[in-house]
Amino acid sequence: MTTSNPKTIAILGGTGKEGKGLAYRWALAGYTIIIGSRTTDKAISAAEEVIGLVGKKVHVKGVENTIAAREAEIVVLTVPYSFHREMLEFIRPEVQGKLVIDVTVPIVPPKVTKVQMPPEGSAAQQAQSILGENVKVVAAFQNISYENLLSGETVDCDVLVTGTDKEARTLVLDLVKDTGLFGLDAGPIENSVVVEGMTSILIGINKQFGVHASGIRITGISR
Ligand SMILES: NC(=O)c1ccc[n+]([C@@H]2O[C@H](COP(=O)([O-])OP(=O)(O)OC[C@H]3O[C@@H](n4cnc5c(N)ncnc54)[C@H](OP(=O)(O)O)[C@@H]3O)[C@@H](O)[C@H]2O)c1
């Protein structure tokens, strides 16, 4: 894994809800953000929107997905699960030797409150399998609603970080801290099944309580 420019983060599908929320938080923390999209104009508009949300001079630009992936050492994936495999195959050459943070939850409509994992075990394991051993895949933020990210308020939900490589998990824990959230090392990538599955449970809880952003908090630890 190369970390020559760890201050630049590409967010593929960053024109969407979750990606924009993360772009906002990291831009606020001083990172250079590259928003990726299938459409350059859409990426540029999203970048302008994030700059407006932050309300101060920040470095955010918008480009096509493969260009974004090429220009950053840290690449974040925030696309709907139905396009997960397609996107991974598309960007595979661009992310070799890099850190890929997968935020994807394998939500399969219409049963969005039911845990439905892919044959690989989880979306993160699917990403690792498609991208290959030369890419450090770390899964994070799957339980954090975009509304919480965009609110700019303290978020009452922890971030569980999983991935095969401990050094990569540690790097992502620093990135989590810089969003203003509390992250915990949740172990190897196989454990991502629990975190991704939790999102379906949270969607069900949201429905029961008529809210949009329920979350999880780990208790019994000092922060
Ligand atoms: N929303 C949340 O609160 C939340 C919370 C935790 C995790 N997540 C996970 O984060 C991911 C993104 O969620 P989201 O709510 O941000 O999704 P979204 O807003 O519906 O979509 C995100 C972006 O994905 C891109 N996209 C759509 N169709 C595509 C295709 N065929 N190929 C490639 N890219 C495509 C679009 O970008 P362009 O049109 O610009 O290419 C879109 O702006 C999902 O896996 C979700 O489970 C979401």
Side-chain angles (χ1 to χ4, degrees):
M1 179 176 51
T2 49
T3 52
S4 59
N5 188 9
K7 289 286 179 190
T8 299
I9 304 172
I11 306 179
L12 311 186
T15 53
K17 301 180 278 294
E18 187 76 357
K20 222 178 280 173
L22 289 169
Y24 164 65
R25 292 269 172 165
W26 280 320
L28 201 57
Y31 288 87
T32 295
I33 304 298
I34 308 175
I35 290 183
S37 168
R38 289 167 296 174
T39 317
T40 305
D41 284 351
K42 196 174 167 186
I44 292 169
S45 301
E48 285 167 356
E49 197 184 324
V50 171
I51 291 168
L53 284 171
V54 177
K56 63 176 186 181
K57 187 172 163 31
V58 286
H59 300 285
V60 185
K61 70 172 182 178
V63 296
E64 187 274 328
N65 281 320
T66 48
I67 298 172
R70 196 174 306 148
E71 289 188 0
E73 292 301 323
I74 299 170
V75 178
V76 181
L77 190 58
T78 57
V79 293
Y81 177 65
S82 45
F83 312 117
H84 188 241
R85 173 177 290 281
E86 190 184 324
M87 268 297 283
L88 290 163
E89 287 170 351
F90 188 53
I91 60 153
R92 180 167 44 201
E94 313 297 344
V95 298
Q96 293 304 308
K98 297 183 179 179
L99 169 65
V100 170
I101 304 174
D102 198 353
V103 185
T104 306
V105 179
I107 301 287
V108 186
K111 295 190 173 170
V112 296
T113 60
K114 179 181 164 184
V115 176
Q116 300 176 79
M117 291 296 149
E120 291 88 343
S122 65
Q125 284 170 279
Q126 186 176 63
Q128 187 68 76
S129 157
I130 293 169
L131 296 177
E133 282 178 9
N134 197 29
V135 178
K136 310 284 189 198
V137 175
V138 172
F141 298 107
Q142 303 100 315
N143 303 150
I144 312 296
S145 141
Y146 79 97
E147 292 183 28
N148 277 335
L149 292 171
L150 286 171
S151 74
E153 306 285 326
T154 302
V155 179
D156 189 21
C157 182
D158 291 335
V159 180
L160 299 177
V161 175
T162 62
T164 304
D165 187 89
K166 186 164 173 52
E167 186 196 345
R169 295 201 303 270
T170 304
L171 204 154
V172 173
L173 285 169
D174 286 342
L175 290 168
V176 170
K177 195 175 177 189
D178 289 339
T179 63
L181 278 79
F182 188 76
L184 294 113
D185 187 332
I189 198 164
E190 289 76 9
N191 295 357
S192 179
V193 61
V194 177
V195 190
E196 293 175 24
M198 182 58 69
T199 303
S200 295
I201 294 172
L202 291 173
I203 292 170
I205 289 170
N206 285 346
K207 285 187 174 187
Q208 287 172 52
F209 285 81
V211 298
H212 296 110
S214 61
I216 56 145
R217 172 77 74 200
I218 303 302
T219 60
I221 54 170
S222 56
R223 289 167 184 262

